[in-house]
Amino acid sequence: MRNRLFATRRVHIALLTIAAGAVFTSSACHSSGAADSAAADSSPDKPAVSVQTVRPQRGAIAQPVRAYGIVAASASNVTTINLPYIARVVQIRVQPGQTVTRGTPLVAVQADPAAVLAATQAKSAVTLAQGELARTQSLFDKGLATQSQLAAARKSADDARQTLAAQNQSGVASGNKIVTAPFDGVVLQLSVAQGDQVQAGAAILQLTGGAGNDMRSNVTLGVEPSDAAQVHPGDTVTLHGLSATLAKKAIDGRVVLVGASIDPQSQLVDVGANVPLGQSAFIPGTRVNADIATRNGVRWIVPRAAVLKGDKGAYVFQVDAQNKARRVAVAIEVENGDRYGVDGALNQTQALVVSGNYELEDGMAVRGSGGAPR
């Protein structure tokens, strides 16, 4: 009986020992798991991506279209100087290519004697017709002339006055007459020589409005047909010379007309520009290239390297105050060299990523390439 009690007690002690061991093991495992979890929580964050940034800018930017051409007046910009009567060229005061201002003497002419005689006769005819009208009117008042005779006298006086007005308008006069430039321009061509007899209406010289003070074309350009639809009257044109001496010179003007067909020889679309050439080195005949600023507008101006393209369109990354990359969708409106003009919800206070953006995803941490967070 006593031995049985000792055996039972040993069994109880063994069971308590096993239970205590289980509790200890469970506590140890729980403590180990908590330590592992704490260690996991205290592990370092994912490294920030090194990037380079710039500040976004907003301003005017245009899509350039390249054109080639020549400083040459269109037919609408050329004026032919002539006389409405026969005359002899006494003296030539200008030469081809010369720049002239309004009122500059061009040539001295002497009217043909027959033209001078016709002008003198027109004056005499007016005096005679007016005297005859006065005499007929007096006779009519006395009942000695008919209504028909008075009407004929009045018609003769009117015809004489009109003939004299036409002679005066032609400017026929005895002696030498100086023909002057009607506007600022350039002498394109002389059609006469000193001593020539010039018929009425025949060309003496051609003058072009080379100063570009009006809105007629004085530069003829050609653009690719694919670019012609972008060019419109009023677009800014910047001329550059093709020669080495003019390559660094530039002068601005405006597009005044855009052709609606392709030139069969050049296979380009003609564009006419008005440029204030003035006393510049771009004289008639100068071959030039030109940049036409099309689709001009105020947009975000960003480097090409800042813009990425994906399935949903173009986008950029900006860096917020927490040094996190934020993806912003943009629409590319113009391309100008190494810059884009884009529209989008950019933040002017946040830096724009231009290098390292291929590694970024929305929300990733970033730092400047020098090591300091940006």
Side-chain angles (χ1 to χ4, degrees):
M1 184 67 180
R2 184 176 182 181
N3 292 334
R4 185 179 300 173
L5 290 175
F6 281 133
T8 303
R9 187 174 297 174
R10 289 193 195 99
V11 171
H12 288 170
I13 292 172
L15 290 175
L16 289 175
T17 303
I18 293 172
V23 170
F24 177 79
T25 303
S26 176
S27 300
C29 291
H30 179 73
S31 299
S32 176
D36 291 342
S37 177
D41 291 342
S42 61
S43 62
D45 293 336
K46 188 177 181 179
V49 178
S50 176
V51 298
Q52 292 180 349
T53 61
V54 297
R55 288 294 174 185
Q57 297 180 355
R58 190 167 179 83
I61 187 171
Q63 179 83 41
V65 171
R66 179 54 62 93
Y68 295 89
I70 187 171
V71 177
S74 64
S76 64
N77 203 24
V78 176
T79 299
T80 300
I81 304 299
N82 54 25
L83 294 171
Y85 54 86
I86 300 174
R88 183 174 65 87
V89 178
V90 176
Q91 187 181 27
I92 297 177
R93 302 284 186 90
V94 293
Q95 60 185 5
Q98 180 176 336
T99 300
V100 297
T101 58
R102 181 184 178 90
T104 300
L106 301 175
V107 294
V109 298
Q110 187 178 63
D112 183 72
V116 176
L117 178 60
T120 303
Q121 289 175 342
K123 294 179 181 179
S124 300
V126 169
T127 302
L128 178 62
Q130 288 177 341
E132 183 64 21
L133 176 60
R135 187 180 70 84
T136 304
Q137 183 67 52
S138 177
L139 291 175
F140 179 80
D141 293 341
K142 295 176 183 180
L144 301 176
T146 65
Q147 183 70 37
S148 178
Q149 289 173 327
L150 180 60
R154 287 175 178 171
K155 183 180 184 306
S156 297
D158 288 341
D159 291 346
R161 283 192 293 267
Q162 291 176 5
T163 302
L164 179 60
Q167 290 290 337
N168 291 337
Q169 187 176 7
S170 68
V172 177
S174 60
N176 293 347
K177 174 181 174 63
I178 303 298
V179 179
T180 61
F183 52 81
D184 297 349
V186 178
V187 179
L188 284 183
Q189 180 181 357
L190 276 171
S191 304
V192 298
Q194 188 168 318
D196 286 353
Q197 189 85 358
V198 182
Q199 297 299 313
I204 297 176
L205 58 83
Q206 287 185 332
L207 193 67
T208 177
N213 295 327
D214 53 23
M215 286 307 295
R216 293 180 293 179
S217 170
N218 61 353
V219 177
T220 302
L221 302 170
V223 301
E224 291 291 340
S226 58
D227 295 330
Q230 302 181 44
V231 182
H232 298 90
D235 288 344
T236 301
V237 177
T238 302
L239 293 188
H240 302 276
L242 291 181
S243 64
T245 56
L246 294 179
K248 295 183 179 180
K249 295 184 181 296
I251 187 169
D252 292 335
R254 295 282 180 182
V255 173
V256 295
L257 62 92
V258 180
S261 62
I262 298 176
D263 185 276
Q265 295 183 346
S266 65
Q267 292 299 303
L268 300 175
V269 175
D270 290 336
V271 173
N274 180 269
V275 183
L277 301 174
Q279 302 297 324
S280 71
F282 293 89
I283 61 176
T286 303
R287 296 195 173 276
V288 297
N289 62 46
D291 290 320
I292 305 174
T294 67
R295 301 172 62 187
N296 195 9
V298 177
R299 298 181 172 90
W300 291 107
I301 303 175
V302 300
R304 295 177 71 99
V307 181
L308 303 176
K309 297 178 181 178
D311 296 338
K312 297 182 179 180
Y315 61 95
V316 298
F317 282 105
Q318 289 193 279
V319 181
D320 64 14
Q322 289 74 39
N323 296 324
K324 302 291 185 180
R326 299 304 177 194
R327 176 168 170 163
V328 181
V330 296
I332 300 174
E333 298 296 336
V334 299
E335 300 181 31
N336 190 329
D338 60 350
R339 304 179 303 165
Y340 280 138
V342 303
D343 289 336
L346 272 70
N347 189 329
Q348 194 165 11
T349 64
Q350 296 181 355
L352 185 71
V353 179
V354 296
S355 178
N357 47 0
Y358 286 95
E359 305 176 39
L360 295 178
E361 294 180 3
D362 194 26
M364 291 182 65
V366 299
R367 61 183 175 82
S369 59
R374 297 292 298 274

